[in-house]
Each structure stands twice: as C-alpha cells, then as structure tokens.
Amino acid sequence: MLRHFRMLAAYNRWANAQVYTAAAELSEAEFRSDSGAFFGSLHRTLNHLLVADRIWMKRFTGIGEAPVTLDAVLFEELDALAAARKAEDERIIAWTGSLDEACLAGDFTYVPVTQPIHITQPLSSALAHLFNHPTHHRGQCHMMLTALGKPSLGLDLIYFLRSEGRECCEATASSRLN
C-alpha cells in the first residue's frame, strides 16, 4: 500500500499541473465564470482543492493552516494559487514518503469541518480519500474547461503511468521480481 499511495501522490501532483497549465491559458473572465460546478468557477474549485488538502494535511500532521470552511478562497490570483498548489503537492509527497506500514495500519481520529464530531477510521482509508477527492473535482475542472471550448485534458491515471509515472510502475514490478 505504501507504494500505491506514493504513486497516487505523484499522480496527484502531475494531474494538478495539467489543470493549472490549462487554467493559465484562460482569460480572467473565463477563469472566474460560474460554470455550474459545485463550487461554481474554476477559480473557486481550485481554491477548494487546496483548502481540502490543507485541512487533511493539518489533520494528518498537526502542522499548517487549516481553513474553517470548504469554500474559502485562499488566493484570488492564479499565480499565487498555483505556487501554493505546487508547495502543497510537494508537502503531500514528502509526508506520504515518510509513512510506514504501521502508520497505514493504525487508526486516525479527526473532526470534520462540516460537523463537530470525532470520527475514527483507518489512516489508509482517510489517505485514500485524500487522493480520490481531487479526482472528482478535477473532473469538474475538465468539464469547465471543455465547456469553454478548451482542449480536453488527459487526466487518467494510466496516462501518468505511461509517462512521468513510469518509475512508479517499474519500482513496483522490480520489487515483485526480487
């Protein structure tokens, strides 16, 4: 599972970069236009993704800023948002790289932003959510971009594994051979 989560962390960074590259091609009006997605615009959706990752990473590590609402706008400008996204992706990769099997097998307790109750679950399932959640919202970003007439993004995990993520597969395959 450790290799799997590390691969997902690398994929997450790669997929985020694809979306941010496409967003950089938009006009300010396109970037901020309400496209009917859950958080409305690409601007607000990308902010939400950063908000959610910061909340989860604060829960996991006890370090960092954790917004108190899921719709917080952390950055108005795309450049600042992109820089924060890159830093958060590197933070996720580093933290995931620091985990061991005992950590993954352990329980994890947190309080959701949406309701003041304590939830305990295996760390591995919370970590699976950390990587599943942005996939959902990146799909919304893809929809917004194509609705604006922009090229379709190839965000499938397999595209990552056939390109920059090839070493993730090779490391897993070589460990099975040894």
Side-chain angles (χ1 to χ4, degrees), residues 112-128:
V113 171
T114 56
Q115 57 187 155
I117 61 171
H118 286 83
I119 295 177
T120 299
Q121 65 187 82
L123 176 62
S124 61
S125 62
L127 192 52

PDB file of all heavy atoms in Angstrom, residues 112-128:
ATOM      1  N   PRO A 112     -14.575  16.554  11.448  1.00  0.00           N
ATOM      2  CA  PRO A 112     -14.884  17.171  10.153  1.00  0.00           C
ATOM      3  C   PRO A 112     -15.218  18.661  10.287  1.00  0.00           C
ATOM      4  O   PRO A 112     -15.714  19.103  11.332  1.00  0.00           O
ATOM      5  CB  PRO A 112     -16.119  16.407   9.665  1.00  0.00           C
ATOM      6  CG  PRO A 112     -16.170  15.169  10.486  1.00  0.00           C
ATOM      7  CD  PRO A 112     -15.507  15.488  11.787  1.00  0.00           C
ATOM      8  N   VAL A 113     -14.956  19.392   9.230  1.00  0.00           N
ATOM      9  CA  VAL A 113     -15.311  20.808   9.176  1.00  0.00           C
ATOM     10  C   VAL A 113     -16.832  20.968   9.210  1.00  0.00           C
ATOM     11  O   VAL A 113     -17.353  21.920   9.784  1.00  0.00           O
ATOM     12  CB  VAL A 113     -14.741  21.456   7.888  1.00  0.00           C
ATOM     13  CG1 VAL A 113     -15.273  22.855   7.673  1.00  0.00           C
ATOM     14  CG2 VAL A 113     -13.216  21.453   7.929  1.00  0.00           C
ATOM     15  N   THR A 114     -17.532  20.012   8.638  1.00  0.00           N
ATOM     16  CA  THR A 114     -18.982  20.127   8.461  1.00  0.00           C
ATOM     17  C   THR A 114     -19.815  19.712   9.660  1.00  0.00           C
ATOM     18  O   THR A 114     -20.998  20.017   9.722  1.00  0.00           O
ATOM     19  CB  THR A 114     -19.429  19.289   7.251  1.00  0.00           C
ATOM     20  OG1 THR A 114     -18.992  17.935   7.445  1.00  0.00           O
ATOM     21  CG2 THR A 114     -18.842  19.847   5.968  1.00  0.00           C
ATOM     22  N   GLN A 115     -19.220  18.991  10.616  1.00  0.00           N
ATOM     23  CA  GLN A 115     -19.956  18.603  11.818  1.00  0.00           C
ATOM     24  C   GLN A 115     -18.983  18.336  12.961  1.00  0.00           C
ATOM     25  O   GLN A 115     -17.966  17.685  12.779  1.00  0.00           O
ATOM     26  CB  GLN A 115     -20.871  17.403  11.567  1.00  0.00           C
ATOM     27  CG  GLN A 115     -20.177  16.183  11.049  1.00  0.00           C
ATOM     28  CD  GLN A 115     -21.139  15.079  10.657  1.00  0.00           C
ATOM     29  OE1 GLN A 115     -20.783  14.289   9.843  1.00  0.00           O
ATOM     30  NE2 GLN A 115     -22.305  14.999  11.213  1.00  0.00           N
ATOM     31  N   PRO A 116     -19.294  18.842  14.157  1.00  0.00           N
ATOM     32  CA  PRO A 116     -18.355  18.743  15.281  1.00  0.00           C
ATOM     33  C   PRO A 116     -18.428  17.406  16.022  1.00  0.00           C
ATOM     34  O   PRO A 116     -18.798  17.349  17.190  1.00  0.00           O
ATOM     35  CB  PRO A 116     -18.783  19.908  16.175  1.00  0.00           C
ATOM     36  CG  PRO A 116     -20.254  20.026  15.936  1.00  0.00           C
ATOM     37  CD  PRO A 116     -20.457  19.661  14.491  1.00  0.00           C
ATOM     38  N   ILE A 117     -18.050  16.329  15.341  1.00  0.00           N
ATOM     39  CA  ILE A 117     -17.996  15.012  15.976  1.00  0.00           C
ATOM     40  C   ILE A 117     -16.633  14.389  15.696  1.00  0.00           C
ATOM     41  O   ILE A 117     -15.989  14.733  14.707  1.00  0.00           O
ATOM     42  CB  ILE A 117     -19.119  14.073  15.471  1.00  0.00           C
ATOM     43  CG1 ILE A 117     -18.988  13.843  13.962  1.00  0.00           C
ATOM     44  CG2 ILE A 117     -20.491  14.621  15.822  1.00  0.00           C
ATOM     45  CD1 ILE A 117     -19.896  12.770  13.406  1.00  0.00           C
ATOM     46  N   HIS A 118     -16.198  13.519  16.566  1.00  0.00           N
ATOM     47  CA  HIS A 118     -14.943  12.811  16.358  1.00  0.00           C
ATOM     48  C   HIS A 118     -15.206  11.572  15.513  1.00  0.00           C
ATOM     49  O   HIS A 118     -16.129  10.794  15.818  1.00  0.00           O
ATOM     50  CB  HIS A 118     -14.303  12.432  17.693  1.00  0.00           C
ATOM     51  CG  HIS A 118     -13.711  13.598  18.392  1.00  0.00           C
ATOM     52  ND1 HIS A 118     -14.459  14.460  19.180  1.00  0.00           N
ATOM     53  CD2 HIS A 118     -12.448  14.061  18.407  1.00  0.00           C
ATOM     54  CE1 HIS A 118     -13.676  15.405  19.650  1.00  0.00           C
ATOM     55  NE2 HIS A 118     -12.442  15.197  19.203  1.00  0.00           N
ATOM     56  N   ILE A 119     -14.408  11.394  14.492  1.00  0.00           N
ATOM     57  CA  ILE A 119     -14.504  10.227  13.619  1.00  0.00           C
ATOM     58  C   ILE A 119     -13.172   9.496  13.689  1.00  0.00           C
ATOM     59  O   ILE A 119     -12.114  10.111  13.540  1.00  0.00           O
ATOM     60  CB  ILE A 119     -14.838  10.628  12.176  1.00  0.00           C
ATOM     61  CG1 ILE A 119     -16.226  11.260  12.130  1.00  0.00           C
ATOM     62  CG2 ILE A 119     -14.721   9.434  11.234  1.00  0.00           C
ATOM     63  CD1 ILE A 119     -16.649  11.751  10.781  1.00  0.00           C
ATOM     64  N   THR A 120     -13.252   8.194  13.906  1.00  0.00           N
ATOM     65  CA  THR A 120     -12.058   7.361  13.898  1.00  0.00           C
ATOM     66  C   THR A 120     -12.190   6.350  12.782  1.00  0.00           C
ATOM     67  O   THR A 120     -13.241   5.704  12.645  1.00  0.00           O
ATOM     68  CB  THR A 120     -11.879   6.649  15.258  1.00  0.00           C
ATOM     69  OG1 THR A 120     -11.731   7.646  16.275  1.00  0.00           O
ATOM     70  CG2 THR A 120     -10.653   5.744  15.250  1.00  0.00           C
ATOM     71  N   GLN A 121     -11.150   6.237  11.985  1.00  0.00           N
ATOM     72  CA  GLN A 121     -11.127   5.285  10.877  1.00  0.00           C
ATOM     73  C   GLN A 121      -9.672   4.919  10.613  1.00  0.00           C
ATOM     74  O   GLN A 121      -8.765   5.593  11.110  1.00  0.00           O
ATOM     75  CB  GLN A 121     -11.777   5.883   9.629  1.00  0.00           C
ATOM     76  CG  GLN A 121     -11.028   7.067   9.040  1.00  0.00           C
ATOM     77  CD  GLN A 121     -11.785   7.735   7.915  1.00  0.00           C
ATOM     78  OE1 GLN A 121     -12.665   8.535   8.159  1.00  0.00           O
ATOM     79  NE2 GLN A 121     -11.436   7.403   6.694  1.00  0.00           N
ATOM     80  N   PRO A 122      -9.430   3.881   9.831  1.00  0.00           N
ATOM     81  CA  PRO A 122      -8.046   3.556   9.499  1.00  0.00           C
ATOM     82  C   PRO A 122      -7.397   4.706   8.725  1.00  0.00           C
ATOM     83  O   PRO A 122      -8.045   5.339   7.882  1.00  0.00           O
ATOM     84  CB  PRO A 122      -8.165   2.311   8.621  1.00  0.00           C
ATOM     85  CG  PRO A 122      -9.495   1.721   8.968  1.00  0.00           C
ATOM     86  CD  PRO A 122     -10.373   2.895   9.301  1.00  0.00           C
ATOM     87  N   LEU A 123      -6.143   4.980   9.012  1.00  0.00           N
ATOM     88  CA  LEU A 123      -5.433   6.021   8.285  1.00  0.00           C
ATOM     89  C   LEU A 123      -5.455   5.729   6.783  1.00  0.00           C
ATOM     90  O   LEU A 123      -5.616   6.645   5.977  1.00  0.00           O
ATOM     91  CB  LEU A 123      -3.987   6.147   8.774  1.00  0.00           C
ATOM     92  CG  LEU A 123      -3.134   7.160   8.004  1.00  0.00           C
ATOM     93  CD1 LEU A 123      -3.704   8.568   8.143  1.00  0.00           C
ATOM     94  CD2 LEU A 123      -1.692   7.098   8.450  1.00  0.00           C
ATOM     95  N   SER A 124      -5.320   4.470   6.419  1.00  0.00           N
ATOM     96  CA  SER A 124      -5.271   4.125   4.988  1.00  0.00           C
ATOM     97  C   SER A 124      -6.539   4.559   4.251  1.00  0.00           C
ATOM     98  O   SER A 124      -6.461   5.028   3.113  1.00  0.00           O
ATOM     99  CB  SER A 124      -5.017   2.633   4.792  1.00  0.00           C
ATOM    100  OG  SER A 124      -6.057   1.875   5.377  1.00  0.00           O
ATOM    101  N   SER A 125      -7.706   4.447   4.871  1.00  0.00           N
ATOM    102  CA  SER A 125      -8.933   4.865   4.170  1.00  0.00           C
ATOM    103  C   SER A 125      -9.027   6.386   4.091  1.00  0.00           C
ATOM    104  O   SER A 125      -9.520   6.927   3.096  1.00  0.00           O
ATOM    105  CB  SER A 125     -10.177   4.259   4.816  1.00  0.00           C
ATOM    106  OG  SER A 125     -10.327   4.696   6.142  1.00  0.00           O
ATOM    107  N   ALA A 126      -8.546   7.094   5.097  1.00  0.00           N
ATOM    108  CA  ALA A 126      -8.526   8.562   5.032  1.00  0.00           C
ATOM    109  C   ALA A 126      -7.545   9.027   3.957  1.00  0.00           C
ATOM    110  O   ALA A 126      -7.826   9.978   3.213  1.00  0.00           O
ATOM    111  CB  ALA A 126      -8.155   9.151   6.385  1.00  0.00           C
ATOM    112  N   LEU A 127      -6.429   8.340   3.842  1.00  0.00           N
ATOM    113  CA  LEU A 127      -5.451   8.676   2.814  1.00  0.00           C
ATOM    114  C   LEU A 127      -6.011   8.378   1.420  1.00  0.00           C
ATOM    115  O   LEU A 127      -5.788   9.154   0.480  1.00  0.00           O
ATOM    116  CB  LEU A 127      -4.151   7.910   3.061  1.00  0.00           C
ATOM    117  CG  LEU A 127      -2.923   8.312   2.276  1.00  0.00           C
ATOM    118  CD1 LEU A 127      -2.647   9.810   2.379  1.00  0.00           C
ATOM    119  CD2 LEU A 127      -1.720   7.523   2.752  1.00  0.00           C
ATOM    120  N   ALA A 128      -6.761   7.296   1.295  1.00  0.00           N
ATOM    121  CA  ALA A 128      -7.419   7.002   0.008  1.00  0.00           C
ATOM    122  C   ALA A 128      -8.353   8.149  -0.367  1.00  0.00           C
ATOM    123  O   ALA A 128      -8.425   8.561  -1.536  1.00  0.00           O
ATOM    124  CB  ALA A 128      -8.176   5.680   0.086  1.00  0.00           C
TER     125      ALA A 128
END
